[in-house]
Amino acid sequence: MKNVLNFYEKIENDIKNRILSGELKPLQQIEGENTLKEMYKVSRMTVRQALNNLVNSGYLYRHKGKGTFVCNTKIEKQLRGLIGFTQTMNLYNKTVRNEIIKFSLINPPEQVAVNLMLEDDDKVFEVHRLRYGNEEPILYEKLYISYKQFKNISVQDFENSFYSYLAEKNMKIGFGSQKIDSIKCPKDLIPYFKCDGNEPFLCVKFIGYLDDGRPVEYTESFYLGSKYSFVQTIK
Amino acid sequence: MKNVLNFYEKIENDIKNRILSGELKPLQQIEGENTLKEMYKVSRMTVRQALNNLVNSGYLYRHKGKGTFVCNTKIEKQLRGLIGFTQTMNLYNKTVRNEIIKFSLINPPEQVAVNLMLEDDDKVFEVHRLRYGNEEPILYEKLYISYKQFKNISVQDFENSFYSYLAEKNMKIGFGSQKIDSIKCPKDLIPYFKCDGNEPFLCVKFIGYLDDGRPVEYTESFYLGSKYSFVQTIK
DNA sequence: GAGTGGTCTAGACCACCAT
DNA sequence: TGGTGGTCTAGACCACTCG
């Protein structure tokens, strides 16, 4: 945590708190840029930087010639970034357990090599995990990462959250691109979920990228349809 | 179309074109802010506005102390905003046809009233559409909009694209929030898709909001799993 | 130390909106 | 007409990175 806030961050936090506390209500107009500039004794560009950030994160909207207004609160609270399974379960106060089904270093299948932009001889770790929420199997996950990038990774890192591992290494997924399909339970997963082959599953093929656009992970996730939904807010 | 571009828009377009044309390659460093400032004879803040927009839309990324770089192109091309079925089909060069199954003014079901934040006596239009891509049924859609907001809307507006209708009225969906589920084909839809009750479907419950956060539409969509996938890029 | 992006200032003119 | 946000200037100092 930083202990010194920039001026624009201070203004941002103040306004955000006034919204969250209910002092500023949805659709209500806030002070104009010139008023804020004098309130905080800063230049107008600094005020604008604060307001722009709040507009981008869905707290405020502007109308030229009219003013700046508070968004309807229903939206703000839903706006989240990319989060993984562990965080999602924590959000709903469910316990998480990961059972490692497979962990091996292999030559990548074609689709993995393409999506991770690998070179000819690059190998990948293939990790299969059965993931439980409140001790019920919810998700079977096939994860692929490049050996070159993660030489020292261990089985244990996958028993906990892979995203936490990334955070420790100061790596952050900046973008994600995903394809979502509805399918019947794949045959090889039937034993894990104790269901029949007609059970609907969400199949999510996800590529995670660093800020610069270089791919880090390719993951195929199979969510038990009756136990899991995707919720998203898009701008 | 505007005929006068702002300075920052001009710079944005130039850099975007240099990326798309291949002149600037992924991970390549672009000119520094001071160089660009002199190239375009503008102030540094104007350059920064252009660069910030390109960072937000996924074309560039920055490293303090190092420079500004081109993102990996794979991402840029996938970044899209919210688009509807018509636009999606156009993207894949498929013909679109909408068959109106139902069009009526009703008292809203509980879930619709909540999601559209209706008042007690508000009525809604309920529109059921069977939507075809290349003359194959792909999607069954139950759409709800408030009567108060759309008094003059007609059946014909739904035979074409509802989003085009909104655009004509200068309304724009600024946010969307959706919940995605994998389900078996609902019984009432079996006749439309000529399938059995085990066919997997994507069920998407979507709420569309204006920029200010007021809800405009609530839609439940049922996509035939074998014919349709969701593709998204998230930041 | 030189170069980069991040923050900030104190002005200015404009387009849009309400009255 | 007065107030609002949108664009733009010509400077300044700072923190970070790299050689």
Side-chain angles (χ1 to χ4, degrees):
Chain A
M1 200 60 188
K2 277 193 304 183
N3 39 20
V4 187
L5 288 184
N6 293 318
F7 290 151
Y8 75 90
E9 289 172 314
K10 172 91 174 85
I11 302 174
E12 255 184 87
N13 286 341
D14 281 0
I15 295 177
K16 202 185 289 187
N17 288 334
R18 287 168 65 198
I19 294 173
L20 295 175
S21 76
E23 183 197 329
L24 291 173
K25 297 196 170 36
L27 309 193
Q28 184 179 335
Q29 181 167 14
I30 71 166
E31 295 87 353
E33 298 180 352
N34 285 309
T35 311
L36 287 167
K37 164 183 123 185
E38 275 149 33
M39 279 170 59
Y40 285 95
K41 311 277 180 218
V42 295
S43 78
R44 191 173 150 223
M45 290 303 272
T46 303
V47 170
R48 282 181 63 76
Q49 181 166 8
L51 296 184
N52 280 334
N53 290 343
L54 290 170
V55 167
N56 286 330
S57 52
Y59 285 91
L60 300 175
Y61 65 98
R62 306 184 200 254
H63 271 164
K64 196 201 288 204
K66 290 173 78 177
T68 304
F69 304 83
V70 179
C71 276
N72 200 306
T73 39
K74 252 200 130 175
I75 296 288
E76 306 152 19
K77 294 182 185 154
Q78 288 176 34
L79 271 177
R80 281 183 244 133
L82 283 165
I83 59 175
F85 181 74
T86 309
Q87 270 183 279
T88 309
M89 286 299 116
N90 288 339
L91 218 60
Y92 293 102
N93 287 317
K94 294 197 173 187
T95 61
V96 181
R97 187 164 62 85
N98 298 322
E99 189 180 328
I100 312 290
I101 306 292
K102 185 176 179 184
F103 179 86
S104 48
L105 190 59
I106 60 165
N107 290 314
E110 175 66 16
Q111 195 175 7
V112 174
V114 170
N115 286 324
L116 291 183
M117 300 185 206
L118 299 175
E119 327 226 318
D120 277 356
D121 298 336
D122 292 345
K123 288 185 181 284
V124 294
F125 284 114
E126 178 182 39
V127 185
H128 287 204
R129 298 194 285 185
L130 183 59
R131 312 190 68 173
Y132 296 82
N134 275 0
E135 291 305 318
E136 286 182 311
I138 292 185
L139 158 64
Y140 191 95
E141 185 185 88
K142 303 175 181 176
L143 181 148
Y144 301 87
I145 52 174
S146 153
Y147 172 63
K148 273 201 305 196
Q149 274 181 303
F150 296 98
K151 287 198 164 92
N152 299 317
I153 206 163
S154 73
V155 177
Q156 277 177 7
D157 297 316
F158 289 100
E159 282 172 354
N160 306 312
S161 166
F162 174 56
Y163 281 28
S164 304
Y165 173 84
L166 286 182
E168 283 168 25
K169 302 285 172 193
N170 261 326
M171 295 175 79
K172 203 179 124 276
I173 305 274
F175 287 99
S177 133
Q178 59 189 12
K179 183 175 174 195
I180 305 176
D181 274 290
S182 178
I183 59 169
K184 291 182 184 180
C185 181
K187 288 207 175 51
D188 52 324
L189 302 189
I190 291 179
Y192 297 112
F193 293 96
K194 301 188 180 76
C195 64
D196 66 55
N198 284 322
E199 195 69 26
F201 271 68
L202 276 178
C203 168
V204 181
K205 291 172 182 163
F206 177 82
I207 311 171
Y209 302 89
L210 299 178
D211 270 332
D212 59 16
R214 280 178 304 169
V216 174
E217 66 158 311
Y218 173 71
T219 302
E220 294 184 356
S221 300
F222 300 88
Y223 293 89
L224 185 54
S226 56
K227 295 261 175 61
Y228 199 88
S229 321
F230 260 75
V231 179
Q232 303 176 318
T233 302
I234 318 170
K235 182 147 188 182
Chain B
M1 196 63 185
K2 276 194 303 183
N3 41 19
V4 188
L5 288 183
N6 294 318
F7 291 151
Y8 75 91
E9 290 172 314
K10 172 94 175 82
I11 302 175
E12 256 184 85
N13 286 341
D14 282 359
I15 295 177
K16 202 185 288 187
N17 288 334
R18 287 168 65 198
I19 294 173
L20 295 175
S21 75
E23 183 196 329
L24 291 173
K25 297 196 170 38
L27 309 193
Q28 183 180 336
Q29 181 167 12
I30 71 167
E31 296 86 353
E33 296 180 353
N34 285 308
T35 311
L36 286 167
K37 163 184 123 184
E38 275 148 32
M39 279 169 58
Y40 285 96
K41 312 276 179 218
V42 296
S43 78
R44 190 171 152 226
M45 290 303 273
T46 304
V47 170
R48 282 182 62 78
Q49 181 165 10
L51 296 183
N52 280 334
N53 289 342
L54 290 170
V55 167
N56 286 330
S57 52
Y59 284 91
L60 300 175
Y61 66 98
R62 307 185 201 251
H63 269 166
K64 194 201 285 204
K66 290 173 80 175
T68 305
F69 304 82
V70 179
C71 277
N72 199 306
T73 38
K74 255 199 125 173
I75 297 287
E76 307 152 18
K77 295 183 183 152
Q78 288 175 32
L79 270 178
R80 281 183 244 130
L82 283 166
I83 59 176
F85 181 74
T86 308
Q87 271 182 278
T88 309
M89 288 298 117
N90 288 340
L91 218 59
Y92 293 103
N93 287 318
K94 294 196 175 188
T95 60
V96 181
R97 187 164 62 85
N98 299 322
E99 189 180 327
I100 312 290
I101 307 291
K102 184 176 180 185
F103 179 88
S104 48
L105 191 60
I106 61 166
N107 290 315
E110 176 66 17
Q111 194 174 9
V112 174
V114 170
N115 287 323
L116 291 183
M117 300 184 207
L118 298 175
E119 327 228 315
D120 276 354
D121 298 336
D122 292 344
K123 288 186 180 282
V124 294
F125 285 114
E126 178 183 39
V127 185
H128 287 205
R129 298 193 285 183
L130 183 59
R131 313 191 67 173
Y132 295 83
N134 275 2
E135 291 305 318
E136 286 182 311
I138 292 184
L139 158 64
Y140 191 95
E141 187 185 88
K142 303 174 181 175
L143 181 148
Y144 302 87
I145 52 174
S146 153
Y147 171 64
K148 271 199 306 197
Q149 273 182 302
F150 296 97
K151 288 197 164 93
N152 300 317
I153 207 163
S154 72
V155 178
Q156 277 177 8
D157 297 316
F158 289 100
E159 283 172 354
N160 307 311
S161 166
F162 174 55
Y163 281 28
S164 303
Y165 173 83
L166 286 183
E168 283 168 26
K169 302 285 172 193
N170 262 327
M171 295 176 79
K172 201 178 126 276
I173 305 274
F175 288 99
S177 136
Q178 59 189 13
K179 182 174 174 196
I180 304 176
D181 275 289
S182 179
I183 59 169
K184 292 182 184 181
C185 181
K187 289 207 174 51
D188 52 324
L189 302 190
I190 292 180
Y192 297 112
F193 293 96
K194 301 187 181 75
C195 63
D196 67 55
N198 283 321
E199 194 69 25
F201 272 68
L202 277 177
C203 169
V204 181
K205 291 172 181 162
F206 178 83
I207 311 170
Y209 302 89
L210 298 178
D211 270 332
D212 59 16
R214 280 178 304 168
V216 174
E217 66 158 311
Y218 172 71
T219 302
E220 295 185 356
S221 301
F222 300 88
Y223 293 91
L224 185 53
S226 56
K227 295 260 174 61
Y228 197 89
S229 321
F230 259 77
V231 180
Q232 302 177 319
T233 302
I234 317 167
K235 181 144 189 184

